Amino acid sequence: REVLVSTRAEAIAAAGKIGYPVVLKACSADEAHKTEKGLIAVNLASQKALTDAFATIVERAGKDYDGAYLVQEMVSGAREIMIGMHRDASFGPSVAFGLGGIFTEILQDVVFRIAPLRKRDARDMMRGIRAHKILDSVRGMPKVDQDVLATALMAVGQIALDHPDIAEIDINPLIVRGSQPVAVDALVVLTDAAG
């Protein structure tokens, strides 16, 4: 659950509707790498924490910032995965699946398949990462709903086929809450021709 806001008062109202704890993020086409710029605050458990975070993010965004702010439900889980798409000039759109969050860049445990994907392709991708056991029942956590993941992987491939103006999609992370993967951040990059 999320609400796009422009002011501190709107952020407070949104958090009241969603319920604490919440996450606050800068939301602008010019801010693709929010974490590195300190434009995300997580696990804000009170109105004071939210207003303090809002002031900090506004300051860090700078006086020329013309975007909005996203107040989101705080999603907790010990496992993070990612789904993405990259449009290659030679091969066309390829779908990515792998470990998410900071582990995407650190461990680079990601597999790719050319779109479109069938359910079998999506399941092969899930088994194709080195850390595929993260999707199994482990340490008291239930098995990840792989039907949901397969559907998401196939959908990202279909979006790429249906919309040639999309150059990249990055859904990272999908936090696994119980058995359900929940997309908590996404980036869509258009081709130069699309503007």
Side-chain angles (χ1 to χ4, degrees):
R1 294 176 296 151
E2 61 189 23
V3 178
L4 194 62
V5 301
S6 299
T7 67
R8 181 175 62 93
E10 290 174 357
I12 292 167
K17 289 179 188 171
I18 292 170
Y20 290 97
V22 296
V23 174
L24 179 67
K25 301 176 182 179
C27 188
S28 167
D30 297 328
E31 299 297 345
H33 301 287
K34 299 178 291 291
T35 302
E36 290 83 354
K37 295 182 178 181
L39 300 177
I40 296 177
V42 300
N43 206 21
L44 304 172
S46 67
Q47 182 174 323
K48 176 162 180 13
L50 176 62
T51 57
D52 290 348
F54 194 90
T56 299
I57 289 174
V58 166
E59 183 179 327
R60 287 178 181 162
K63 62 180 169 138
D64 295 331
Y65 180 74
D66 65 350
Y69 304 91
L70 195 60
V71 179
Q72 292 181 308
E73 165 187 10
M74 178 69 194
V75 177
S76 298
R79 299 175 283 183
E80 295 184 4
I81 50 183
M82 63 79 63
I83 294 174
M85 184 281 293
H86 175 75
R87 188 175 303 281
D88 183 84
S90 299
F91 298 106
S94 63
V95 178
F97 173 76
L99 291 181
I102 63 168
F103 297 110
T104 303
E105 295 174 18
I106 295 171
L107 298 177
Q108 298 180 353
D109 191 3
V110 179
V111 295
F112 296 88
R113 294 285 187 283
I114 301 296
L117 300 179
R118 296 173 308 215
K119 195 165 200 172
R120 183 180 68 203
D121 300 321
R123 290 194 174 275
D124 286 347
M125 290 177 75
M126 289 180 245
R127 288 188 296 274
I129 61 172
R130 292 184 308 274
H132 62 88
K133 291 185 179 182
I134 195 171
L135 303 175
D136 295 338
S137 298
V138 60
R139 295 195 169 244
M141 295 180 284
K143 182 176 181 174
V144 176
D145 187 333
Q146 294 184 15
D147 287 333
V148 168
L149 279 180
T151 299
L153 285 162
M154 292 185 299
V156 167
Q158 192 60 52
I159 289 168
L161 293 172
D162 292 345
H163 299 278
D165 54 328
I166 298 176
E168 295 178 40
I169 298 173
D170 185 20
I171 306 168
N172 186 15
L174 283 102
I175 295 177
V176 181
R177 177 171 55 192
S179 66
Q180 298 300 308
V182 180
V184 298
D185 201 48
L187 174 68
V188 175
V189 178
L190 300 178
T191 61
D192 289 337

